[in-house]
């Protein structure tokens, strides 16, 4: 293990934090706007596709260089999930109505 390895793994973890932040904050943002949206299916589907595309692109950019770095990226990704789940919670404007049950 050299200094270059530590730098590469640190950058990979930072990339995982960025990818995870984008993915999970985007999920929180999307779910917070579903109830007020005129087209909730489109919002949910488009949000999902954008989040998955960006996440997969980020993971691909990391894994093509080094498999070990990929695991540091995954660790950063899931660390963001834990942190954002505990800090964000439901949206401020409707804490009791985060996901509403709609009668079709």
């Amino acid at each position: 293990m050299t200094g270059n390895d530590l730098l590469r793994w640190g950058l990979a973890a930072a990339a995982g934090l960025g990818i995870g932040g984008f993915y999970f904050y985007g999920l929180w943002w999307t779910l917070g706007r579903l109830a007020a949206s005129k087209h909730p299916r489109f919002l949910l589907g488009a949000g999902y596709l954008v989040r998955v595309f960006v996440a997969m692109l980020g993971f691909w950019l990391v894994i093509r260089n080094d498999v070990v770095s990929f695991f540091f990226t995954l660790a950063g990704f899931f660390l963001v999930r834990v942190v954002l789940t505990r800090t964000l919670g439901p949206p401020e404007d409707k804490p009791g109505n985060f996901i509403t049950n709609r009668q079709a």
Side-chain angles (χ1 to χ4, degrees):
M1 179 170 30
T2 66
N4 286 337
D5 290 336
L6 293 176
L7 178 63
R8 186 171 61 238
W9 296 337
L11 291 174
L17 293 173
I19 295 167
F22 178 82
Y23 186 88
F24 292 111
Y25 184 80
L27 176 61
W28 179 82
W29 184 88
T30 301
L31 291 178
R33 275 136 188 87
L34 276 181
S37 176
K38 292 180 182 179
H39 305 286
R41 291 179 187 158
F42 175 76
L43 179 63
L44 193 61
Y48 173 76
L49 289 175
V50 169
R51 287 191 321 271
V52 167
F53 176 77
V54 171
M56 290 298 117
L57 179 64
F59 285 131
W60 176 75
L61 289 173
V62 171
I63 202 168
R64 69 187 181 128
N65 293 325
D66 184 17
V67 175
V68 175
S69 295
F70 172 70
F71 290 109
F72 282 94
T73 306
L74 270 180
F77 182 82
F78 287 115
L79 177 66
V80 167
R81 179 186 177 269
V82 171
V83 170
L84 287 182
T85 300
R86 292 185 180 172
T87 57
L88 289 179
E92 294 288 327
D93 56 342
K94 299 182 184 190
N97 258 350
F98 188 54
I99 299 175
T100 59
N101 293 328
R102 294 184 179 212
Q103 300 295 327

